[in-house]
Amino acid sequence: MSNLRFNAVKEANNRKPVEAVVPEMKTSDYYGSNVFNRKAMKNYLSKETYKLVTEAIDRGTPISREVANHVAAGIRMWAMERGVTHYTHWFHPLTDGTAEKHDAFVEHDGAGGMIEEFSGKILAQQEPDASSFPSGGLRNTFEARGYSAWDPSSPAFIMDDTLCIPTVFISYTGEALDYKTPLLKSLEAVNNAAKDVCHFFDPDVKKITTFLGWEQEYFLVDEALYAARPDLALTERTLMGHESAKNQQLEDHYFGAIPRRVQEFMKDLEFESYKLGIPVKTRHNEVAPNQFELAPIYEEANLAVDHNLLMMTLMKRVARRHNFRVLLHEKPFKGVNGSGKHNNWSLGTDTGIMLLSPGKDTRENLRFITFIANILLAVYKHNALLKASISSATNAHRLGANEAPPAIVSIFLGSQINEILDRFENSTPKDAIIVDDKKELKLGVGQIPELLLDNTDRNRTSPFAFTGNRFEFRAVGSSANCASALIALNSAVAAQLQEFKKEVDTLMSKGKSKEEAIFEVLNQYLKISKPIRFDGNGYSKEWKIEAQKRGLDIEDSVPLIYDAYTTPESVKMFTDTHVMNSVELHARNEVKWEMYTKKVQIEARVLGDLSLNHIIPVSMRYQTLLLENVAKIKQLYPEKQYKIMAAEPLRIIESISLHVNEINAKVHQMIDARKSANRVEDAREKAIAYHDTVIPFLDSIRYHIDELELTIDNEMWPLPKYRELLFIR
């Protein structure tokens, strides 16, 4: 065994659990202690300021500069009492991560000293350089002006000695350079559109809230083994490595006993999460070895997105304390399940109604069918866009791999809801609509039983499944920013609800009753959206053929999938909902193509380096030993015995030569393909070139390396193997 690998494995095997430092107190005693939440606001703001701020949060009203100054003074006092010395505007650039620039609470006092200062102006807006973040051409590198602006709906929090203020990030000319800005706009679009539709059933509804419950899957790897794998360190996935004889086939890891080292990490992570107000609820082993999952209680979507990004940062920090590295790549190991981030999406009113829950009477159930039908049609119309919203160079390795939803967007509803929608669709208004003397609506298609809340099975092959009172968007990648999928989904649903309202109003203006108009429109929607409903096996080859017949998007090239953002239909939809304009959409695609190219480029360079500088030299050293062995056999034994005794060594020698020659040739062909692709100036065409001409080499080179791993002396192999990486001791 090579010294590096030997020492890494030895160190990993000798690890002792690092005890989590968790205080002996109830979670409720310290929950949110590092968050400037409403409890802290009450203690540090005047009653009038508190009232104005909470109204701004609840109703979306603007905050004046005077109020911002009062809030800034309160936040500064609260933060400094907790040892905070710096502040930062914390935002979500177009990189799937977060960004922050720390400034100290100090200014000159005019007398040669310093004073602690933090004004409302600084709280509300800053002008960070941030010129190197991707913008898709919205600004040049030498035009560094980008503005971050305070988002009061997501409370400020403390990380170490720094006050973090959640903000949006926009260009000098007002275009969004982040995920939060269009997310907030999409949430407002859903609020307005869904509220208007709700008024058909309940005029008292004043606000619609979008809820999100994310489920975060991840892998843990011992830090020593991680350090001995350059591919993991640089790309977060293993670019080579033969499957372990034992992996997940016994299904013994799923929901199994959590290893003690991992348990201590989880306890520590939960403690840090609770202090930051992240309501972590669930933890368990996932299907693959070393794979785990955590999930919080559902929250308002904007806050949930912030919490997920914060959680990903926390996971990496806490893991280092326990001598682990967290892998958020969607497919870090070949041959075992990859990691997703299921987004559970739902809508609720300020009157306490969950709009995706079946009701207790026929009026409530018509409202339920109304929202289900509109969501079905929205997803049907924009299925290619929704796929684009979750597509990436990393998620492409997971989707459609018989472990995750396929790269075709469809909706699973369950047999009972499908039956009810079919009956509704095939009924006529005259048969199905009855209004009695008390003006109460009745449906001739029958009541939806209350037990429907929990009677749907979970189709694990469906990328968008109804699971009782919500839709679970299961195709989102583990490393992704949840906002990307939500922006597309919210916008599509908002646009569809707007269209529904117009169509119902038009029919009512022609003399039809409200109930008849609603029924007639829904009847048509259910017929049109029928192709998006699929409860079968999404992994089957037959489904891809069937999906194409249904007119669903089956494209599997990520660079081409991104085209869905800039189709006339998508541009119109985003523009009509005021979420993004054409310039912003085209710019984001430029960023997506650029990010795709760079990630594939890095993987190709790392694989080439490991092949030429690690794998081939070790293989040739082992081959030399075999050649020496064969030469000695020939010297010691007569020809007849020599042929028998040297047959297997000679076969191995020839096999090594074959694989080494193939690796060497393919690496240089891959380098040439990369150089050719790099000469392409257009971002889209370059990404396509990388997809078509570079990516195929990653798998073909890997095949030969993995074959060599089975052949080369175990003690000589330079990199930790899957059997060493995948089982925490």
Side-chain angles (χ1 to χ4, degrees):
M1 186 182 293
S2 65
N3 286 335
L4 181 61
R5 175 174 161 227
F6 175 80
N7 292 334
V9 173
K10 182 179 179 181
E11 186 177 345
N13 288 340
N14 291 334
R15 293 280 194 211
K16 302 297 180 186
V18 177
E19 299 291 336
V21 182
V22 180
E24 294 183 0
M25 62 176 77
K26 295 184 297 183
T27 301
S28 56
D29 291 336
Y30 62 88
Y31 184 81
S33 58
N34 283 349
V35 181
F36 195 68
N37 51 26
R38 298 195 185 212
K39 180 180 178 182
M41 287 183 195
K42 280 187 176 181
N43 293 332
Y44 289 86
L45 302 180
S46 68
K47 288 184 178 180
E48 182 61 24
T49 300
Y50 175 80
K51 179 183 177 183
L52 292 172
V53 172
T54 52
E55 284 181 353
I57 294 171
D58 294 337
R59 301 178 186 175
T61 55
I63 292 177
S64 69
R65 183 54 56 87
E66 181 182 3
V67 172
N69 280 327
H70 291 308
V71 175
I75 289 181
R76 184 190 67 181
M77 185 182 303
W78 170 79
M80 290 183 65
E81 287 179 4
R82 286 155 179 77
V84 169
T85 58
H86 289 68
Y87 63 89
T88 182
H89 275 200
W90 183 82
F91 57 93
H92 313 173
L94 300 177
T95 59
D96 280 339
T98 58
E100 52 196 69
K101 180 187 70 148
H102 298 196
D103 289 300
F105 281 134
V106 291
E107 293 291 341
H108 286 295
D109 65 357
M114 303 291 275
I115 58 173
E116 286 76 21
E117 184 172 286
F118 183 64
S119 66
K121 179 181 179 181
I122 293 173
L123 168 66
Q125 180 178 311
Q126 277 195 305
E127 187 182 324
D129 180 341
S131 57
S132 293
F133 284 119
S135 68
L138 288 177
R139 59 185 185 148
N140 295 312
T141 302
F142 58 84
E143 294 172 329
R145 298 187 77 176
Y147 295 99
S148 53
W150 176 34
D151 171 20
S153 64
S154 185
F157 57 91
I158 295 171
M159 286 283 280
D160 297 327
D161 64 350
T162 302
L163 173 69
C164 300
I165 304 157
T167 63
V168 299
F169 183 47
I170 59 175
S171 70
Y172 176 70
T173 50
E175 290 90 1
L177 297 171
D178 65 345
Y179 281 108
K180 183 182 275 283
T181 302
L183 173 64
L184 291 173
K185 290 181 178 180
S186 75
L187 294 171
E188 184 59 21
V190 170
N191 171 41
N192 291 330
K195 183 170 55 179
D196 286 344
V197 172
C198 277
H199 288 165
F200 285 138
F201 308 96
D202 182 358
D204 294 330
V205 172
K206 294 182 176 61
K207 183 178 181 181
I208 305 296
T209 299
T210 302
F211 294 98
L212 170 65
W214 43 265
E215 303 168 31
Q216 179 72 59
E217 295 175 343
Y218 62 97
F219 281 84
L220 287 176
V221 176
D222 189 277
E223 190 163 36
L225 298 174
Y226 174 92
R229 291 285 310 219
D231 49 352
L232 275 182
L234 296 174
T235 72
E236 275 215 342
R237 83 177 179 107
T238 52
L239 299 175
M240 59 192 70
H242 200 281
E243 290 185 37
S244 171
K246 178 185 182 299
N247 47 52
Q248 66 185 46
Q249 66 265 50
L250 296 180
E251 300 175 338
D252 53 341
H253 186 71
Y254 188 52
F255 277 27
I258 300 172
R260 183 157 174 236
R261 282 184 64 199
V262 178
Q263 183 100 348
E264 294 302 315
F265 156 76
M266 289 177 168
K267 286 164 59 177
D268 211 347
L269 178 63
E270 288 172 355
F271 172 59
E272 297 294 341
S273 301
Y274 291 146
K275 288 193 296 183
L276 288 166
I278 304 174
V280 181
K281 177 76 171 179
T282 303
R283 64 188 185 197
H284 64 83
N285 289 3
E286 254 300 334
V287 174
N290 281 21
Q291 188 186 35
F292 308 93
E293 180 180 298
L294 60 84
I297 299 170
Y298 292 16
E299 299 179 283
E300 183 276 325
N302 177 47
L303 182 58
V305 169
D306 281 357
H307 279 169
N308 181 251
L309 289 168
L310 186 53
M311 172 60 76
M312 291 195 288
T313 300
L314 274 181
M315 291 167 74
K316 294 179 179 179
R317 290 164 60 109
V318 174
R320 298 293 296 273
R321 296 207 294 258
H322 292 263
N323 299 310
F324 284 127
R325 288 298 185 111
V326 168
L327 302 180
L328 295 175
H329 193 288
E330 283 74 14
K331 191 73 172 178
F333 300 103
K334 184 179 180 181
V336 298
N337 279 19
S339 296
K341 176 152 47 193
H342 303 172
N343 280 204
N344 294 278
W345 176 88
S346 60
L347 301 172
T349 71
D350 59 335
T351 58
I353 301 298
M354 296 305 294
L355 296 175
L356 303 184
S357 292
K360 298 178 181 179
D361 56 44
T362 50
R363 186 179 295 275
E364 291 183 0
N365 283 329
L366 182 59
R367 181 185 60 212
F368 167 74
I369 292 175
T370 295
F371 278 91
I372 292 293
N374 275 278
I375 292 168
L376 286 171
L377 189 53
V379 175
Y380 172 62
K381 287 180 177 178
H382 300 285
N383 69 93
L385 173 66
L386 289 177
K387 181 166 68 176
S389 76
I390 54 87
S391 293
S392 67
T394 54
N395 206 19
H397 294 287
R398 164 179 167 261
L399 295 181
N402 286 349
E403 63 184 68
I408 301 170
V409 172
S410 62
I411 293 180
F412 167 84
L413 291 174
S415 58
Q416 289 200 29
I417 293 183
N418 266 321
E419 181 184 351
I420 288 166
L421 294 184
D422 288 342
R423 290 167 62 192
F424 193 99
E425 173 195 333
N426 294 319
S427 301
T428 65
K430 183 178 179 181
D431 295 333
I433 297 294
I434 304 169
V435 181
D436 66 16
D437 294 337
K438 296 180 181 179
K439 304 297 182 184
E440 290 184 356
L441 175 70
K442 296 180 180 179
L443 295 180
V445 296
Q447 291 253 14
I448 299 175
E450 289 186 63
L451 58 88
L452 267 177
L453 186 64
D454 293 307
N455 80 340
T456 57
D457 192 9
R458 292 196 178 193
N459 186 325
R460 295 297 180 182
T461 72
S462 175
F464 200 84
F466 183 72
T467 54
N469 59 0
R470 63 194 181 277
F471 280 96
E472 184 179 11
F473 199 177
R474 302 187 63 250
V476 183
S478 174
S479 64
N481 185 328
C482 297
S484 178
L486 289 183
I487 291 165
L489 177 59
N490 289 343
S491 302
V493 170
Q496 183 53 54
L497 290 172
Q498 289 175 357
E499 183 64 25
F500 174 76
K501 175 72 163 52
K502 290 178 184 176
E503 291 190 41
V504 171
D505 285 346
T506 298
L507 289 176
M508 289 172 61
S509 69
K510 294 179 180 180
K512 294 201 173 184
S513 70
K514 179 174 66 177
E515 288 77 14
E516 288 174 328
I518 290 173
F519 184 93
E520 186 171 325
V521 175
L522 292 182
N523 190 291
Q524 291 302 310
Y525 282 7
L526 291 172
K527 285 183 171 67
I528 296 170
S529 64
K530 201 72 170 284
I532 202 69
R533 289 155 58 184
F534 178 67
D535 286 3
N537 180 9
Y539 296 160
S540 69
K541 294 178 181 178
E542 292 77 12
W543 167 232
K544 186 170 184 178
I545 298 171
E546 173 64 20
Q548 188 172 23
K549 290 180 180 177
R550 295 185 183 195
L552 303 182
D553 188 274
I554 63 169
E555 180 61 61
D556 58 8
S557 168
V558 172
L560 295 178
I561 289 172
Y562 289 150
D563 288 342
Y565 271 101
T566 52
T567 62
E569 296 80 10
S570 292
V571 172
K572 183 178 187 305
M573 182 269 290
F574 280 116
T575 303
D576 288 349
T577 54
H578 307 291
V579 174
M580 285 186 283
N581 58 36
S582 178
V583 172
E584 290 172 310
L585 289 168
H586 282 86
R588 280 165 191 266
N589 261 12
E590 292 287 317
V591 173
K592 289 177 181 293
W593 286 317
E594 181 182 351
M595 293 295 291
Y596 179 88
T597 295
K598 288 179 177 178
K599 287 186 177 182
V600 177
Q601 183 184 72
I602 291 170
E603 288 191 352
R605 294 177 68 179
V606 171
L607 181 59
D609 173 61
L610 289 176
S611 298
L612 299 179
N613 295 307
H614 289 67
I615 304 305
I616 290 179
V618 166
S619 301
M620 295 182 70
R621 282 203 301 272
Y622 182 59
Q623 188 182 49
T624 299
L625 291 177
L626 292 176
L627 286 167
E628 292 174 355
N629 175 260
V630 169
K632 290 177 180 178
I633 291 174
K634 190 168 187 178
Q635 290 175 356
L636 293 174
Y637 295 95
E639 185 71 15
K640 186 176 181 180
Q641 286 182 279
Y642 159 74
K643 287 184 177 181
I644 296 173
M645 297 178 67
E648 184 59 19
L650 286 171
R651 186 197 65 77
I652 297 174
I653 289 168
E654 291 177 4
S655 175
I656 291 173
S657 291
L658 169 66
H659 293 305
V660 165
N661 290 339
E662 285 293 317
I663 292 169
N664 185 65
K666 289 181 183 297
V667 165
H668 286 94
Q669 290 169 17
M670 179 176 67
I671 291 172
D672 290 340
R674 202 174 71 235
K675 288 180 178 178
S676 177
N678 288 340
R679 288 192 287 270
V680 179
E681 294 186 3
D682 181 78
R684 178 179 181 273
E685 294 303 316
K686 181 181 288 189
I688 292 171
Y690 263 89
H691 176 273
D692 294 348
T693 67
V694 177
I695 280 184
F697 285 111
L698 298 180
D699 287 335
S700 60
I701 292 170
R702 176 177 189 146
Y703 167 77
H704 293 287
I705 293 174
D706 290 355
E707 289 297 303
L708 285 174
E709 183 183 317
L710 292 178
T711 303
I712 305 302
D713 183 352
N714 182 65
E715 292 191 3
M716 295 181 67
W717 194 254
L719 305 175
K721 298 184 176 183
Y722 272 25
R723 68 170 182 263
E724 296 155 352
L725 288 165
L726 280 173
F727 299 94
I728 293 173
R729 291 156 177 86

